[in-house]
Amino acid sequence: MSVSADEEWLPIISCPADFPLELFENAVDQLIHHPEYNSTLILRSETVRETTYAEDIPSDILKDLRPAHTIHRKLLPRRPGRDAALEQNCALYASMTGEFAGIPSTLVLTPLLAPGELLPYYHPNVRRLAFRHVPSTPAILRIEAVVLPDTPTDLNSRLYRTSLALLETLHRYGWGALTNYQKRVKHDCMIPREEYQDLYLVMRERYKHLVGEWKEVTDPLKHVFEDIGIATYLMLLWKKSFGHGESDGNLDETGSDSDQAWKRWPRPPGGFLDLGCGNGLLTHILVSEGYQGYGIDLRARTSWDHYPESTRAALHVYALDPTQYIKRTPRADNDITPYFPPGVFLVGNHADELTPWLPILATLENTAGYLSIPCCSWSFDERFSRSASAKFSDSDLGSAVDDGFVERLNLGGEGGHRSQYSMYRIWLARLSQWLGWKVECDVLRIPSTRNWAIISRERVNEDSETYSDRALDIIQDVVQRGAFKTRKPEGKAGDH
């Protein structure tokens, strides 16, 4: 690459370019806007400003090329206490003459450092890094760099390994653009990624100490950070759902928790009920952050006795029996359980046997909504299968399902969604719809392969009696089959 006199560009690595130059800008756009896909140390990038150049102004660092488009971005670290943020200039360059004049062929990344400031660890030790689509025969992709003094560049060096990973990513993006690749799932459908990540970082700092204090035999790294993620999502979901559009305060730009703005955020009018709460951590986090609610399960866990008094008071051993609803007369005067105050929001995090009952309970108790993260596939009284026991209306799961409805479920995967787990999620969504709930789905940013959530916050219409009758009909069918058995509380239920 021809350069200005005071800089020397060093080729690091190259490979064949299996996509045309016209798709280069599309491919590097992913690199610019999603650096976190290439480094676990980067949280995300934020665009500071963009500039487009309409005139042929020669580049001050690259001869025979002109700047076409520049993005000034800020890289945010995943661990702000360890790594610093970094501003970076991302400049696209195009040829000034010839067959490919005006088509971007080079991306140059330039870190913007104050005098004496050091590069953070997640950034290569270079002054500039360039990605090039070279229109030779055959065309090649090449990464070049203006390296800082004493920076190793051999095949075992960190710079080479980083460049190799970046080149593989660029090639994949270009090939995906050529073949019209689409992501298997879409994250952040309901909560903006930036809001979630900013609050998650704060919550992680507040509760990461629980990893070292874990009382269960399960993996603390998975369970602690998974429940922190779910609690974060719920707090933002409730803020959005019950805020009525007014401003309720946001985190400051530093992500500091000094203001604790979430303590003023809207929340379900009847609090929350965590069904099958297990170790109680999700309930503990929400209660600790000022949210009213309960967690119920068939047995107490070791962790329960080690939580603060406010959390222990919210955790209860309780065996829920949905079949009791057909005996309630009149419905409003004979509560089945004390844990369903008006306007409660139901949470089912891998609730297993209780999973299909969430929309039924939400319907009969006229709750403020529910969020369910299904794991094991259960129907009302047995393991889920495409059998008569999975019916809830005149049509069963084997009948045709509207393609548009399935597409909106954001199931991921490819093909006809015929796997057992995909069919189960479709069945759950149809059940919610049958009971009059507007179905929403999202894929949560939690460390679990079972991270798909079905969310219902609004009713399709106000015909509550029709939907309550449908829910009771389901319960009546379950009772008539005779297979449903209410599980007994385990341990000393009276202690919780």
Side-chain angles (χ1 to χ4, degrees):
M1 180 185 290
S2 299
V3 299
S4 57
D6 61 339
E7 291 187 338
E8 179 181 356
W9 287 91
L10 178 68
I12 304 297
I13 190 172
S14 63
C15 74
D18 294 328
F19 58 91
L21 177 61
E22 288 78 5
L23 295 178
F24 177 77
E25 184 174 7
N26 185 299
V28 296
D29 183 73
Q30 291 288 317
L31 285 175
I32 294 172
H33 293 290
H34 295 286
E36 69 275 12
Y37 295 165
N38 269 289
S39 174
T40 58
L41 302 179
I42 297 176
L43 180 67
R44 66 174 185 269
S45 73
E46 292 184 347
T47 299
V48 178
R49 61 178 175 273
E50 295 189 45
T51 305
T52 300
Y53 302 91
E55 301 178 1
D56 285 345
I57 304 173
S59 167
D60 57 348
I61 63 170
L62 302 173
K63 295 180 180 179
D64 303 323
L65 297 178
R66 70 168 181 86
H69 188 73
T70 298
I71 296 177
H72 181 172
R73 71 177 181 180
K74 184 176 183 179
L75 300 176
L76 301 180
R78 190 169 293 277
R79 302 215 171 164
R82 184 180 65 183
D83 298 315
L86 175 69
E87 294 194 17
Q88 193 180 57
N89 199 51
C90 310
L92 278 164
Y93 293 87
S95 297
M96 298 179 65
T97 59
E99 178 184 357
F100 301 106
I103 302 176
S105 61
T106 300
L107 169 67
V108 177
L109 306 180
T110 304
L112 305 176
L113 296 172
E117 187 178 2
L118 299 177
L119 285 167
Y121 179 78
Y122 56 78
H123 193 283
N125 198 36
V126 298
R127 184 178 299 168
R128 303 184 198 276
L129 191 69
F131 302 80
R132 297 197 65 203
H133 189 292
V134 183
S136 57
T137 305
I140 63 172
L141 293 175
R142 188 164 68 218
I143 292 182
E144 305 176 3
V146 178
V147 300
L148 293 173
D150 302 321
T151 300
T153 59
D154 60 88
L155 298 182
N156 294 318
S157 66
R158 180 167 170 258
L159 175 58
Y160 181 86
R161 296 195 307 271
T162 300
S163 298
L164 174 60
L166 290 170
L167 186 65
E168 290 175 340
T169 300
L170 176 59
H171 186 277
R172 184 172 70 252
Y173 288 159
W175 179 253
L178 181 65
T179 57
N180 295 314
Y181 168 79
Q182 294 183 347
K183 290 181 65 175
R184 298 179 68 183
V185 297
K186 297 177 181 178
H187 293 270
D188 317 307
C189 297
M190 300 178 63
I191 304 299
R193 179 186 64 156
E194 294 78 9
E195 289 186 30
Y196 174 84
Q197 289 179 333
D198 289 345
L199 181 59
Y200 175 80
L201 287 179
V202 174
M203 291 296 124
R204 187 184 67 187
E205 290 302 307
R206 290 169 70 84
Y207 294 100
K208 66 181 182 181
H209 64 91
L210 294 174
V211 172
E213 302 170 5
W214 195 241
K215 305 301 180 183
E216 309 292 340
V217 296
T218 51
D219 180 8
L221 289 175
K222 177 185 185 300
H223 287 279
V224 171
F225 294 114
E226 180 176 320
D227 283 357
I228 291 173
I230 295 171
T232 299
Y233 189 91
L234 284 169
M235 292 162 67
L236 290 166
L237 178 70
W238 293 336
K239 176 189 177 187
K240 177 180 179 181
S241 303
F242 304 106
H244 307 296
E246 67 266 19
S247 175
D248 302 293
N250 295 301
L251 301 181
D252 61 34
E253 293 184 357
T254 65
S256 169
D257 66 347
S258 58
D259 182 47
Q260 297 190 9
W262 58 87
K263 295 288 180 73
R264 304 187 299 274
W265 288 353
R267 53 206 61 210
F272 69 89
L273 176 60
D274 185 3
L275 295 163
C277 64
N279 57 53
L281 179 55
L282 178 59
T283 297
H284 168 61
I285 295 173
L286 292 172
V287 168
S288 299
E289 298 306 332
Y291 292 82
Q292 299 295 318
Y294 298 103
I296 61 174
D297 207 301
L298 284 169
R299 64 181 178 89
R301 303 301 200 273
T302 303
S303 299
W304 289 19
D305 288 332
H306 297 272
Y307 290 128
E309 172 58 31
S310 57
T311 299
R312 295 201 303 272
L315 296 171
H316 298 273
V317 174
Y318 188 85
L320 191 62
D321 181 5
T323 64
Q324 294 297 308
Y325 280 89
I326 61 174
K327 303 176 182 179
R328 182 166 63 168
T329 306
R331 295 177 189 170
D333 296 333
N334 184 21
D335 290 338
I336 301 300
T337 168
Y339 304 116
F340 285 95
V344 69
F345 190 97
L346 305 185
V347 179
N349 174 25
H350 298 179
D352 294 342
E353 294 100 324
L354 286 175
T355 298
W357 291 103
L358 257 74
I360 294 176
L361 296 170
T363 299
L364 293 175
E365 292 289 351
N366 196 25
T367 71
Y370 69 91
L371 177 145
S372 177
I373 307 172
C375 182
C376 300
S377 302
W378 284 89
S379 64
F380 304 114
D381 50 11
E382 64 179 358
R383 286 281 186 174
F384 172 81
S385 64
R386 303 164 200 180
S387 64
S389 64
K391 290 182 179 180
F392 53 81
S393 68
D394 293 335
S395 61
D396 62 27
L397 200 58
S399 61
V401 179
D402 176 70
D403 290 339
F405 177 75
V406 174
E407 184 68 24
R408 291 191 296 273
L409 299 183
N410 193 21
L411 297 174
E414 300 174 359
H417 300 300
R418 306 302 295 182
S419 72
Q420 182 83 347
Y421 185 57
S422 289
M423 295 297 282
Y424 181 55
R425 290 180 289 167
I426 294 171
W427 180 79
L428 290 173
R430 291 182 64 203
L431 172 61
S432 296
Q433 188 180 56
W434 175 250
L435 295 174
W437 290 98
K438 178 182 176 181
V439 176
E440 301 173 287
C441 301
D442 209 345
V443 179
L444 307 189
R445 293 179 177 273
I446 58 176
S448 173
T449 57
R450 294 293 194 251
N451 59 346
W452 180 87
I454 181 171
I455 302 158
S456 291
R457 302 174 294 162
E458 302 176 23
R459 305 310 302 260
V460 174
N461 55 52
E462 299 300 323
D463 189 7
S464 59
E465 185 172 352
T466 295
Y467 300 125
S468 293
D469 288 342
R470 288 181 177 181
L472 292 172
D473 287 343
I474 292 173
I475 296 176
Q476 186 66 53
D477 289 342
V478 170
V479 172
Q480 289 178 352
R481 285 196 297 271
F484 181 86
K485 302 294 183 184
T486 303
R487 293 176 61 181
K488 302 294 184 182
E490 302 175 18
K492 298 179 180 180
D495 293 344
H496 293 276

